[in-house]
Amino acid sequence: MNWKIAAALCMAALCMMLAVPAQAAKRVALVIGNNDYRNVPKLQKAVNDARTMGDTLKQLGFSVMVAENQTRQAFSQTLLAFDKAVEPGDTAFFFYAGHGFEIAGQNFLLPTDVPAATEGQEELVRDSSVLADRIIERLQNKKARTAILVFDACRNNPFERAGTRAVAGGGGLAPMTQLPEGVFSVFSAGPRQTALDRLSNDDANPNSVFTRIFARELTQPGVNLVQVAQRTRRLVSESAETVRHKQVPVYFDQMVDDVFLNGAAKSDPPPAVAAKPAEPAQQVAALTQVQRIAPQNDSVNAPIAAFSRHNGGWTVVFSIADPTLGISWRLGDAGQFRETGFIDTLDPRTRKRMPNPSIELTADQPAATIQVRYVDASGETQGPFPIRFDPEAALLRDQRKILDMTATSWLSFRDFNGLLVYYTHLMSYRCAIREARIGIDSAMPDKVLKMPPCDPRDPSAIPHDANPYLKLAPTTRSVSVELTYRDGSVSEIKTFRR
């Protein structure tokens, strides 16, 4: 080939590479609305707020997941699905409407099965709720370029009941003043303020006062996020004042650039490569879908399975809401169903022996679908119901749950030829841990603990050549610990004192 032609072709290819932008980062959103609380007051408009925000964000070009009435387990699974959808460079939008609660300056989002805690049971609320800061950390771990978090959760203390002393915490949520770069958060009311669901008993609007205004302002063309927040704050405050209520939304901005969700301001010069106007929001929205995530308890008949790993393999425990006369199962879609048998306990609902709710799987059982069916109290067979078994995900969840429940056992001190700190417990459940850090006489963990790799065949076994302790200076008074789990979430910092 003539070298001049080759050079021309190379130059043309280079121009094409420069003219075609890299694959654009996408917009991903998760909106959650919780109304149907079991042990604290129900809400009326949180689900509507989530649906409205889902439709609004769809118009703005987001791929939207909408989740409603989330239990703690469902909340965690929904967040994991959101994690998988977010990629480096994306714009991630998280909206939550429901009960929120502040404890010692930290904000917790309450799932629908949060227990009815009373005075002194703050830890119970923490353990059964979702820490708002963790959502930010997850998005940071996914390297989202822009993370937008909106909380319409600034309501009254949901644990207040006549005749009891409520768990410690005030109305509203605490401010989020220490945000990482690239994060923008909005609260429907200021610190210690509560947000209005409605302006009067005659207010027929299906949305809360904040969401109805915020959703509208988001779609205003040529307005950046700060301007949206400022306009929303002014309009919500004015609306609340008409009923003599103090509600002033607040926002916390750590954005590097101005963020426009519905086109840049008209006064801004167009980018040099933009030869044609941006597509209208309606055309962009046509490319996206609103994915409805059904509540986990959508069918009261469907069993729920809990997987736990032990030295001999897997134990699977089925939870079935209906009274049952028998349970059977099989792996996959073919083959005979096997009965689980019975245990020596009478079910007071049927006055018959209770079916054994558990089965055993081998340690090397690969991913599979477990088909479960049961005989109800009237003698009718229900099912089969498919339950997905993923050994890797199940091991992570099981060990993570154990670590969360046994946080006081992560470290232990021992005086033996000096001062030693043992982290045998962490090593035993290392399959759920991506990284463990400790801080010696420091509240900020900065030293990485060395741990052997996870062995899925025998996950709790500690290799004979592993060293599950550190030698410390005799003057050491405390050690702090922080875990980064394999799903990307980060634990609270725990401090252990001698």
Side-chain angles (χ1 to χ4, degrees):
M1 181 184 291
N2 186 287
W3 70 269
K4 292 184 178 180
I5 297 176
L9 290 174
C10 289
M11 183 61 70
L14 178 61
C15 291
M16 291 179 64
M17 291 173 63
L18 293 174
V20 178
Q23 183 175 358
K26 62 185 185 297
R27 294 179 172 186
V28 186
L30 170 62
V31 298
I32 295 177
N34 283 346
N35 275 349
D36 297 336
Y37 286 90
R38 303 173 188 175
N39 305 306
V40 299
K42 295 180 183 293
L43 298 174
Q44 299 297 321
K45 298 187 176 183
V47 168
N48 285 341
D49 290 343
R51 292 175 180 177
T52 295
M53 284 301 302
D55 292 340
T56 299
L57 293 170
K58 177 187 174 184
Q59 294 176 32
L60 296 173
F62 282 82
S63 296
V64 184
M65 293 182 284
V66 178
E68 301 172 1
N69 296 318
Q70 299 281 280
T71 63
R72 182 63 179 88
Q73 182 178 354
F75 210 136
S76 295
Q77 292 174 341
T78 297
L79 289 174
L80 284 174
F82 189 40
D83 280 350
K84 293 178 181 178
V86 177
E87 296 177 336
D90 285 352
T91 294
F93 197 116
F94 175 82
F95 174 86
Y96 173 79
H99 277 308
F101 196 66
E102 175 262 323
I103 299 176
Q106 291 184 309
N107 295 321
F108 294 86
L109 311 181
L110 306 189
T112 56
D113 57 351
V114 65
T118 57
E119 183 183 23
Q121 295 182 321
E122 289 81 6
E123 196 66 27
L124 187 62
V125 178
R126 288 192 184 98
D127 290 346
S128 58
S129 303
V130 175
L131 182 61
D133 287 341
R134 295 292 177 260
I135 298 171
I136 296 175
E137 290 172 358
R138 295 168 83 119
L139 295 178
Q140 290 286 295
N141 290 335
K142 297 297 290 187
K143 295 181 170 51
R145 174 175 173 78
T146 301
I148 306 163
L149 298 99
V150 181
F151 303 99
D152 192 1
C154 309
R155 294 172 169 86
N156 291 321
N157 184 342
F159 302 106
E160 289 181 345
R161 286 181 298 280
T164 66
R165 297 196 62 179
V167 62
L173 296 176
M176 287 177 129
T177 56
Q178 302 296 321
L179 292 178
E181 186 178 290
V183 178
F184 189 90
S185 68
V186 184
F187 289 75
S188 60
R192 310 296 177 259
Q193 294 176 2
T194 54
L196 292 172
D197 263 352
R198 59 192 179 190
L199 294 173
S200 69
N201 291 334
D202 299 326
D203 185 350
N205 194 300
N207 295 119
S208 72
V209 174
F210 169 80
T211 295
R212 68 181 73 166
I213 293 173
F214 181 69
R216 185 183 69 219
E217 293 303 315
L218 270 180
T219 60
Q220 298 297 320
V223 179
N224 64 35
L225 269 180
V226 172
Q227 293 169 320
V228 169
Q230 290 173 339
R231 291 164 62 153
T232 300
R233 180 173 61 184
R234 176 175 57 81
L235 294 172
V236 170
S237 177
E238 291 173 353
S239 296
E241 284 178 0
T242 64
V243 293
R244 298 185 178 182
H245 181 79
K246 187 73 169 178
Q247 179 181 346
V248 183
V250 295
Y251 68 92
F252 304 93
D253 177 18
Q254 286 296 327
M255 295 292 191
V256 177
D257 306 310
D258 285 340
V259 175
F260 295 86
L261 295 184
N262 196 16
K266 293 181 179 178
S267 59
D268 289 352
V273 296
K276 61 180 181 178
E279 294 182 353
Q282 290 82 355
Q283 293 183 24
V284 177
L287 302 177
T288 65
Q289 297 290 331
V290 174
Q291 176 187 353
R292 302 279 180 188
I293 300 178
Q296 204 170 28
N297 58 351
D298 227 16
S299 170
V300 296
N301 295 320
I304 297 173
F307 301 93
S308 59
R309 185 69 161 80
H310 49 79
N311 291 340
W314 291 93
T315 296
V316 187
V317 179
F318 304 116
S319 296
I320 302 174
D322 288 346
T324 58
L325 301 178
I327 302 172
S328 58
W329 67 286
R330 72 182 180 199
L331 283 174
D333 297 326
Q336 296 293 320
F337 279 87
R338 288 175 278 179
E339 301 291 332
T340 62
F342 297 87
I343 59 177
D344 293 328
T345 302
L346 290 179
D347 187 335
R349 300 173 297 176
T350 62
R351 297 187 178 182
K352 295 182 178 181
R353 288 180 67 190
M354 186 176 292
N356 179 10
S358 66
I359 63 172
E360 300 293 324
L361 300 178
T362 61
D364 57 355
Q365 172 64 49
T369 298
I370 306 172
Q371 299 284 351
V372 182
R373 66 184 186 185
Y374 66 91
V375 179
D376 63 22
S378 63
E380 297 290 330
T381 298
Q382 302 294 332
F385 301 96
I387 294 175
R388 182 65 180 166
F389 170 62
D390 181 340
E392 182 178 349
L395 178 61
L396 189 154
R397 283 196 301 269
D398 182 45
Q399 292 205 350
R400 164 72 185 269
K401 180 175 66 176
I402 293 172
L403 287 168
D404 286 343
M405 294 173 59
T406 58
T408 56
S409 302
W410 288 356
L411 298 183
S412 60
F413 293 98
R414 182 182 178 188
D415 287 303
F416 182 77
N417 292 331
L419 178 62
L420 305 178
V421 61
Y422 278 82
Y423 53 100
T424 313
H425 191 76
L426 296 180
M427 199 171 282
S428 297
Y429 300 104
R430 63 190 180 277
C431 289
I433 301 172
R434 178 184 299 170
E435 184 179 76
R437 289 178 173 268
I438 65 169
I440 299 171
D441 283 333
S442 170
M444 295 304 296
D446 56 1
K447 181 181 178 63
V448 177
L449 290 177
K450 293 182 179 180
M451 285 194 279
C454 168
D455 181 2
R457 296 168 300 177
D458 196 0
S460 297
I462 299 176
H464 65 87
D465 56 347
N467 190 20
Y469 65 86
L470 290 176
K471 191 166 185 176
L472 303 178
T475 57
T476 302
R477 305 308 306 166
S478 67
V479 177
S480 58
V481 188
E482 181 182 63
L483 305 181
T484 299
Y485 296 106
R486 293 202 183 271
D487 63 8
S489 61
V490 183
S491 73
E492 293 183 36
I493 296 176
K494 304 289 185 182
T495 300
F496 296 81
R497 303 185 187 280
R498 290 180 61 188

